[in-house]
């Protein structure tokens, strides 16, 4: 009998598994009611008295080895009190939908980029901390030009050379400095202005800038592209209106309105009862800007535009106060889960 026990002992000690099911079979085989241990203990009763001490000791050794092997394998398989089933009551009803969603501004930024992507515009980004050259000078803001006063700028420390960009037009410069036309790109990003915070203005907001430079690009191309954008973004019956404006980096310049989609052009509080809402600035890139960036204005021309992401988001989701975009109120944010 001793030999038999020793055989089982070796078998138990070399046993291993990664399956809980196999481990359970192991337990049944050795410690189950009709298992090997019980058989051996029954047999033990027939052992001759002089053999009893040694055989008994061996039998106990086997019993302990079985228990030890079982417990250590079970712990290794994670079948202990940390099992999820023991930490949570999986039969309780689900309490909340915890899946995240895109921020409404991110949803609209993506839609804008995609609309232009469909007509060949690729995407680039520039830094939020800019220098005077890229934010102002290269864009034809003369040192003493009153246009600089149009923007209340956050300077970094007292250095007038370093600032938080006031518009994404700075990325136009960065791209043109390194790329020869044709250029067809959008530049999304956050911009900063020192403005009193209200329902319509904030000290930071978002723009998607666009730039198209090639041979023979005309104002008609600009108008057609803007109309395509407005119809894709809102609806096919959206109307556009270009009003003459001034930007130092475009000539001629325009501000673009769309028919107010909150009231269908009838007039409401949002459009100040005019039926029109301004959504972007645009124009033909000033030849001086092309020259500043190393592009020959005798060969190339182009247009640029800057779209206010908050304004579009207000219109698409009927949100009237832009402060709510940065308040991180999940009751507001989680409403956009399905609007990818
Ligand atoms: N940078 C202007 C702003 O911040 C918007 C703008 C106007 C961008 C005309 C342009 C443009 O590219 O051509 O208000």
């Amino acid at each position: 009998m001793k030999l038999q026990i020793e055989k089982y002992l070796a078998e138990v000690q070399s046993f291993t598994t990664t399956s809980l099911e196999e481990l359970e079979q192991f337990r049944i085989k050795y410690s189950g009611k009709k298992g090997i241990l019980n058989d051996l203990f029954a047999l033990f009763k027939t052992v001759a008295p002089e053999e009893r001490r040694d055989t008994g000791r061996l039998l106990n050794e086997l019993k302990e080895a079985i228990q030890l092997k079982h417990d250590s394998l079970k712990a290794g398989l994670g079948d202990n009190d940390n099992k999820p089933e023991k930490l949570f009551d999986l039969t309780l009803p689900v309490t909340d939908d915890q899946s995240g969603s895109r921020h409404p501004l991110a949803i609209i930024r993506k839609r804008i980029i995609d609309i232009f992507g469909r007509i060949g515009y690729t995407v680039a980004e520039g830094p939020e901390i800019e220098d005077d050259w890229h934010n102002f000078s290269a864009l034809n803001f003369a040192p003493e030009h009153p246009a600089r006063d149009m923007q209340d700028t956050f300077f970094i420390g007292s250095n007038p050379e370093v600032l938080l960009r006031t518009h994404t037009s700075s990325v136009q410069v960065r791209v043109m400095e390194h790329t020869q036309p044709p250029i067809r790109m959008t530049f999304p990003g956050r911009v900063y202005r020192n403005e009193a915070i209200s329902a319509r203005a904030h000290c930071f907001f978002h723009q998607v800038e666009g730039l198209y430079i090639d041979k023979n690009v005309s104002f008609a191309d600009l108008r057609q592209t803007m109309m395509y954008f407005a119809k894709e973004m809102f609806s096919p019956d959206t109307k556009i209106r270009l009003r003459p404006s001034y930007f130092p980096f475009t000539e001629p310049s325009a501000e673009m309105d769309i028919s107010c989609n909150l009231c269908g052009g009838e007039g409401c509080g949002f459009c100040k009862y005019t039926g029109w809402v301004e959504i972007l600035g645009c124009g033909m890139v000033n030849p001086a800007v092309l020259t500043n960036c190393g592009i020959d204005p005798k060969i190339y021309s182009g247009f640029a535009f800057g779209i206010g992401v908050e304004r579009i988001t207000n219109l698409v989701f009927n949100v009237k106060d832009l402060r709510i975009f940065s308040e991180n109120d999940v009751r507001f944010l989680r409403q956009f889960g399905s609007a990818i």
Side-chain angles (χ1 to χ4, degrees):
M1 181 173 176
K2 274 203 283 190
L3 273 180
Q4 209 177 355
I5 299 174
E6 271 163 2
K7 193 193 102 206
Y8 284 132
L9 198 58
E11 217 174 86
V12 166
Q13 276 159 353
S14 62
F15 176 78
T16 186
T17 180
T18 52
S19 137
L20 272 176
E21 209 173 293
E22 276 176 29
L23 184 61
E24 181 59 6
Q25 277 159 15
F26 168 87
R27 189 192 65 78
I28 293 169
K29 178 178 170 189
Y30 287 99
S31 334
K33 248 194 181 145
K34 293 180 182 161
I36 288 166
L37 261 186
N38 278 350
D39 283 355
L40 288 174
F41 274 109
L43 212 61
F44 182 64
K45 289 178 188 141
T46 65
V47 170
E50 64 274 19
E51 294 279 310
R52 284 200 153 209
R53 241 188 71 188
D54 279 358
T55 312
R57 193 183 39 76
L58 217 55
L59 199 52
N60 276 326
E61 208 176 302
L62 176 65
K63 191 180 164 188
E64 275 166 26
I66 291 166
Q67 191 67 41
L68 200 75
K69 177 61 81 174
H70 180 266
D71 290 353
S72 67
L73 283 177
K74 198 164 180 180
L77 289 175
D79 189 40
N80 51 35
D81 285 347
N82 287 331
K83 266 187 96 169
E85 289 89 319
K86 294 194 177 149
L87 290 175
F88 309 108
D89 183 349
L90 296 176
T91 63
L92 282 175
V94 176
T95 48
D96 203 357
D97 176 5
Q98 294 291 340
S99 59
S101 59
R102 269 182 214 265
H103 190 281
L105 293 175
I107 294 170
I108 296 305
R109 179 186 56 202
K110 181 173 184 304
R111 285 192 197 171
I112 298 171
I113 289 171
D114 286 350
I115 288 170
F116 285 101
R118 292 204 282 278
I119 52 170
Y121 284 64
T122 54
V123 182
E125 286 181 308
E128 291 181 14
I129 298 175
E130 258 304 359
D131 51 35
D132 177 276
W133 170 254
H134 292 97
N135 197 81
F136 290 128
S137 298
L139 288 165
N140 201 35
F141 288 76
E144 304 306 327
H145 201 290
R148 278 186 196 263
D149 299 337
M150 277 165 43
Q151 327 241 6
D152 276 358
T153 306
F154 288 115
F155 289 93
I156 307 281
S158 55
N159 186 350
E161 280 299 318
V162 188
L163 47 95
L164 293 180
R165 68 177 174 195
T166 58
H167 51 185
T168 43
S169 307
S170 53
V171 193
Q172 287 187 34
V173 180
R174 289 190 174 272
V175 165
M176 286 192 284
E177 279 175 339
H178 294 103
T179 323
Q180 280 300 305
I183 298 169
R184 204 160 24 169
M185 292 177 111
T186 52
F187 317 122
R190 178 176 279 193
V191 302
Y192 301 83
R193 286 182 204 174
N194 190 6
E195 299 215 32
I197 297 169
S198 72
R200 297 172 81 91
H202 211 303
C203 56
F204 61 83
F205 54 97
H206 300 80
Q207 296 183 329
V208 176
E209 188 87 9
L211 181 67
Y212 181 28
I213 311 280
D214 206 343
K215 288 176 182 153
N216 301 317
V217 179
S218 72
F219 199 90
D221 297 317
L222 165 61
R223 190 177 193 286
Q224 190 64 28
T225 306
M226 293 302 101
M227 195 156 75
Y228 156 79
F229 167 68
K231 288 178 186 292
E232 289 287 308
M233 190 73 225
F234 299 101
S235 69
D237 41 74
T238 302
K239 294 184 184 60
I240 67 163
R241 177 171 90 167
L242 289 168
R243 281 179 292 106
S245 185
Y246 173 75
F247 300 103
F249 38 92
T250 44
E251 182 59 37
S253 306
E255 250 140 352
M256 187 174 103
D257 301 338
I258 57 156
S259 47
C260 177
N261 80 330
L262 297 187
C263 62
E266 301 272 294
C268 67
F270 190 80
C271 62
K272 297 194 192 123
Y273 300 95
T274 62
W276 296 96
V277 212
E278 184 191 319
I279 61 163
L280 58 86
C282 58
M284 301 306 291
V285 176
N286 193 317
V289 174
L290 295 177
T291 306
N292 285 342
C293 300
I295 292 176
D296 187 347
K298 287 194 215 72
I299 305 176
Y300 295 109
S301 58
F303 61 78
F305 50 91
I307 303 170
V309 179
E310 273 79 355
R311 177 56 63 89
I312 308 275
T313 311
N314 286 336
L315 287 164
V316 170
F317 293 128
N318 197 359
V319 176
K320 299 207 171 67
D321 187 329
L322 61 74
R323 285 172 289 198
I324 199 166
F325 292 134
S326 49
E327 281 171 0
N328 280 347
D329 186 336
V330 289
R331 290 168 304 177
F332 170 69
L333 295 175
R334 66 158 63 111
Q335 295 175 54
F336 301 90
S338 58
I340 301 306

